[in-house]
């Protein structure tokens, strides 16, 4: 596989469930990102990882817990979510420095519905 | 703070015609990047075109070109010879020295046969 992949593509969960979203990049990049895309809103940056280290947490509630075991994999662990957390969750990756590697490449997203 | 504004929530264009999507931004950084991403109904966010702020020449990618006006902080996207497959949400994004992107709210483009 090439590019950035995300699983699952669709997820429906109750407010008491625990689930995880997975992102994998096959581009040799060192930075990975989680975004939330809600209807009628701009994309919201949630977390940034550089070389497996979290470099940004954009005031995200603790019910969202990221994990980056290596530069190719990124997880978003979900627990006790609220209905307003229903959204499309996008993962992206970016190469290290340099003008030619400043572009973020996105996965297809996970459509999350919280009941 | 960095901001990106897309003032056209929706636009439509006839197939084979030309359409221009507007974007303005604000940043205090001297070196930054600007992007247009396309998100079709399939939801995959795809890079359309990229512009480095230090380059005066407008970027071009086949039927897609930009009009980058640095002093005015304007970055519009022109799509020539519009095709049905161009129907999508288009997002303007600003990338700064930290590598993060700030997105606009998007413009929904419909190409009509």
């Amino acid at each position: 596989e090439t590019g950035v992949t995300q699983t699952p593509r669709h997820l429906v969960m109750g407010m008491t469930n625990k689930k995880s979203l997975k992102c994998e990049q096959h581009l040799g990049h060192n930075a990975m990102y989680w975004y939330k895309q809600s209807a009628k809103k701009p994309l919201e940056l949630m977390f940034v990882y550089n070389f497996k280290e979290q470099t940004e947490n954009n005031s995200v509630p603790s019910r969202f817990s990221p994990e980056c075991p290596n530069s190719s994999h990124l997880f978003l662990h979900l627990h006790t979510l609220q209905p307003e957390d229903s959204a499309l969750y996008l993962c992206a990756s970016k190469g290290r420095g340099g003008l030619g590697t400043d572009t973020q490449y996105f996965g297809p997203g996970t459509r999350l519905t919280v009941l | 703070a960095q901001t990106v504004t897309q003032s056209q929530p929706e636009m439509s264009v006839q197939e084979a015609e030309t359409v221009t999507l507007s974007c303005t931004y604000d940043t205090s950084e001297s070196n930054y990047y600007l992007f247009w991403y396309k998100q079709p109904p399939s939801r995959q966010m795809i890079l359309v075109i990229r512009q480095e702020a230090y380059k005066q020449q407008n970027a071009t990618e086949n039927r897609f070109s930009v009009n980058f006006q640095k002093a005015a902080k304007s970055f519009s996207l022109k799509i020539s010879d519009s095709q049905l497959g161009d129907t999508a949400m288009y997002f303007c994004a600003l990338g700064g020295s930290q590598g993060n992107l700030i997105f606009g709210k998007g413009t929904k483009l419909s190409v009509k046969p």
Side-chain angles (χ1 to χ4, degrees):
Chain A
E1 278 193 89
T2 58
V4 182
T5 58
Q6 289 186 245
T7 54
R9 295 294 305 276
H10 301 270
L11 178 62
V12 179
M13 59 187 289
M15 289 190 284
T16 58
N17 291 159
K18 288 186 180 181
K19 296 286 183 183
S20 295
L21 309 185
K22 179 183 176 182
C23 175
E24 185 173 358
Q25 59 95 1
H26 310 268
L27 300 168
H29 290 166
N30 60 284
M32 297 187 77
Y33 305 77
W34 278 118
Y35 289 90
K36 176 183 179 182
Q37 187 178 27
S38 305
K40 310 291 184 185
K41 283 186 173 182
L43 268 76
E44 300 171 70
L45 178 65
M46 300 176 72
F47 301 104
V48 181
Y49 278 82
N50 277 291
F51 295 99
K52 304 187 297 178
E53 299 296 322
Q54 187 180 125
T55 56
E56 185 150 345
N57 175 338
N58 204 19
S59 303
V60 180
S62 59
R63 56 185 185 270
F64 294 92
S65 174
E67 178 190 1
C68 188
N70 55 61
S71 295
S72 299
H73 294 85
L74 184 65
F75 295 89
L76 188 62
H77 304 299
L78 317 171
H79 64 98
T80 60
L81 295 191
Q82 305 298 311
E84 61 264 28
D85 296 323
S86 298
L88 180 68
Y89 289 84
L90 291 167
C91 174
S93 71
K94 186 175 77 73
R96 70 184 66 204
L99 297 174
T101 55
D102 53 285
T103 301
Q104 289 186 25
Y105 293 89
F106 285 81
T110 295
R111 172 65 65 186
L112 173 67
T113 303
V114 181
L115 302 176
Chain B
Q2 296 179 312
T3 60
V4 176
T5 302
Q6 292 179 251
S7 58
Q8 305 151 315
E10 291 193 44
M11 294 189 72
S12 65
V13 63
Q14 291 296 128
E15 196 175 6
E17 298 289 306
T18 296
V19 63
T20 299
L21 309 183
S22 301
C23 173
T24 58
Y25 62 94
D26 194 17
T27 180
S28 57
E29 296 189 7
S30 57
N31 191 23
Y32 52 90
Y33 309 96
L34 292 159
F35 305 85
W36 279 99
Y37 281 91
K38 166 186 175 181
Q39 189 178 36
S42 66
R43 302 181 317 211
Q44 180 92 41
M45 191 80 76
I46 303 165
L47 176 70
V48 175
I49 200 165
R50 182 187 70 197
Q51 174 85 40
E52 290 92 347
Y54 72 91
K55 286 187 176 179
Q56 293 186 338
Q57 186 174 7
N58 289 325
T60 299
E61 235 6 275
N62 301 315
R63 297 182 294 108
F64 300 88
S65 61
V66 298
N67 183 3
F68 175 46
Q69 301 290 326
K70 190 171 184 178
K73 294 184 178 176
S74 170
F75 184 61
S76 60
L77 174 70
K78 185 172 83 172
I79 306 174
S80 304
D81 185 26
S82 297
Q83 300 176 358
L84 296 178
D86 294 333
T87 293
M89 284 290 291
Y90 286 81
F91 293 94
C92 179
L94 168 66
S97 59
Q98 300 302 310
N100 298 339
L101 292 179
I102 308 298
F103 285 85
K105 289 188 176 182
T107 296
K108 184 178 181 180
L109 177 67
S110 299
V111 180
K112 300 185 184 304

